[in-house]
Amino acid sequence: MSTRDCGYRLRVSVASTITPTAVAGLLRGRSWVALTGAGMSTDSGIPDYRGPTSVRATPMQYSEFVGSGESQRRYWARSYLGWRRIGRAEPNPGHRALADLEAAGLAGVITQNVDGLHSAAGSTRVINLHGDIATVVCLECGDRSARSELQRRLTSANPRLDQPSVLQHAELRPDGDAVARDWQQFRLVGCVLCGGRLKPDVVFFGESVPKSRVEAAYVLMQQAEILVVLGSSLTVMSGLRFVRHNAKLQRPVVIINRGSTRGDELASLKIDGGCSETLTELRATLVGYAQLH
Ligand SMILES: [Zn+2]
């Protein structure tokens, strides 16, 4: 075990086996921000692309999506099937524990997930870094509309695909993308206002996170002393940059994730474990403590 000076007069331990109690000891009485990834939602039935039990998948790149009508048709056929499950996903005990932890110094949540489950669980300050799968944006006029409304329109346009025998073979992916074998027959619909091409309001691979969202995330982090990464392997720079930013300012970074992450060497504390069980323990310790004092 070694110690590392993280500023704020904190000296924290770096060891191979860290317990939630050690994390609670660091967070107690301090303000912190959570950065969450796919591992946060696996217990809600949404699989992780990159976790130890991940499905092998090659997500569609932004350039491919906007580049051809065929790609859009393939994407929406898959998304149409995937929505059947992602549209029904519910917050898990980890989401609920995190919402309760606002009573114990949690200033807000920055999430890489697009499933909306933090807000559904009651978290009041959430920055959806990669957008929101429940919203659709028109690439021509910029109009935003509800994904559920598009689902109804796609159901009307594709009555044959609405058969349970097709749906039960749908392989769900984190962005609501499922495998559709019959996408060539899939009928696409356009924007209700201008007939333009529709895109889910999520950041695709190869697409940049809107600047305003990144700035909002930095503002939120500025208000906290500690960054806690939950269920992200920090593979993409959109998440890793926040860890690097905090480490540069000599602020503690806590990582709770199954398996290694790209930010491990910058972490003050690392728990190799699941989000739901760790957050449930943190709530028991910290929220109980907050109520007692
Ligand atoms: Zn439009």
Side-chain angles (χ1 to χ4, degrees), residues 72-82 161 178 180 183 186:
Q72 288 154 35
R73 206 140 58 98
R74 180 157 54 92
Y75 177 89
W76 280 118
R78 288 174 163 182
S79 173
Y80 174 75
L81 298 179
L161 270 182
W183 63 270
F186 190 71

Side-chain angles (χ1 to χ4, degrees), residues 75 126 179 205 227 254:
Y75 177 89
V126 181
V179 171
F205 283 83
L227 178 66
V254 176

